[in-house]
Amino acid sequence: MALLTIRTIPDPILRLKAEPVDGVDEDLRQLLSDMAETMYANDGIGLAAPQVARSVRAIVVDARDKEERGDPEGLLRLVNPVIAEAEGTVCFEEGCLSVPELRADVKRHERVLVKAIDADNEPVEIEAEDLLAIVLQHEMDHLDGILFIDHIGRLKRELYLRKLRKEASKNA
Ligand code: ZN
């Protein structure tokens, strides 16, 4: 197990479309457990492989209450996930480990059916609603190079990016 470094914007790897995985091997299983460890260490509820500089279609999600988190039974490790069905609309204040110091309301589907393969290379289907559905959509966006700031108002996004650039030039 190892803690991985989380990439933050404007790292270009966050904007790439991640490659599909051709079967889960030992290397990918290791990546998934390192991602889970990194997610828990950062108090995250989801993490996508591009956030740790691996441009492959793999995510980990644990959106349960604090007391239940960490129990491996409820940790989702999903490879090549796709949204097969979606319905309803929900608005929720999101944040992202790759987008520091910003939280903003994002509109997403309220319920989704996600199909993927799990860490044992078996097909899985997950029916999710509310927070779990939101996190799944957020993490799957990462696999297409999409960040939650792409779903917020242009003005809010530009103010945030301007602030980031200012801080970066201060630290340069
Ligand atoms: Zn994120």
Side-chain angles (χ1 to χ4, degrees):
M1 299 277 269
L3 284 182
L4 304 170
T5 305
I6 295 179
R7 303 298 180 96
T8 56
I9 56 167
D11 193 315
I13 197 155
L14 295 170
R15 291 310 197 169
L16 294 180
K17 199 170 161 69
E19 294 292 328
V21 174
D22 186 20
V24 179
D25 57 11
E26 210 31 65
D27 174 60
L28 190 74
R29 252 191 293 275
Q30 185 62 49
L31 174 66
L32 288 163
S33 38
D34 291 345
M35 282 167 60
E37 194 185 349
T38 304
M39 171 182 75
Y40 289 127
N42 287 279
D43 256 332
I45 54 180
L47 195 66
Q51 293 181 274
V52 292
R54 291 282 299 269
S55 198
V56 293
R57 304 189 80 80
I59 62 173
V60 293
V61 169
D62 188 344
R64 295 169 299 167
D65 293 341
K66 267 227 157 69
E67 313 80 67
E68 298 175 299
R69 282 161 58 75
D71 159 22
E73 287 278 291
L75 167 68
L76 295 177
R77 295 174 295 173
L78 303 178
V79 172
N80 297 341
V82 290
I83 293 178
E85 283 172 40
E87 61 176 26
T89 306
V90 66
C91 192
F92 186 78
E93 193 188 58
E94 297 187 17
C96 177
L97 294 172
S98 295
V99 183
E101 289 167 40
L102 182 72
R103 299 193 65 84
D105 284 342
V106 177
K107 234 192 238 172
R108 306 240 184 225
H109 297 296
E110 192 176 12
R111 283 176 295 280
V112 290
L113 174 67
V114 171
K115 294 186 178 178
I117 53 174
D118 67 12
D120 301 314
N121 235 340
E122 298 291 332
V124 283
E125 286 192 7
I126 293 135
E127 274 183 39
E129 57 180 9
D130 301 324
L131 183 60
L132 180 57
I134 290 164
V135 184
L136 285 167
Q137 291 169 84
H138 176 118
E139 300 312 328
M140 287 168 67
D141 264 0
H142 275 299
L143 305 180
D144 290 324
I146 298 168
L147 300 172
F148 84 97
I149 51 171
D150 301 333
H151 297 296
I152 68 179
R154 192 174 60 92
L155 187 63
K156 186 158 189 180
R157 179 171 58 247
E158 279 174 6
L159 282 174
Y160 172 72
L161 294 173
R162 198 182 304 161
K163 194 179 109 204
L164 266 193
R165 277 194 295 270
K166 220 191 227 167
E167 277 167 18
S169 65
K170 238 189 282 166
N171 298 332

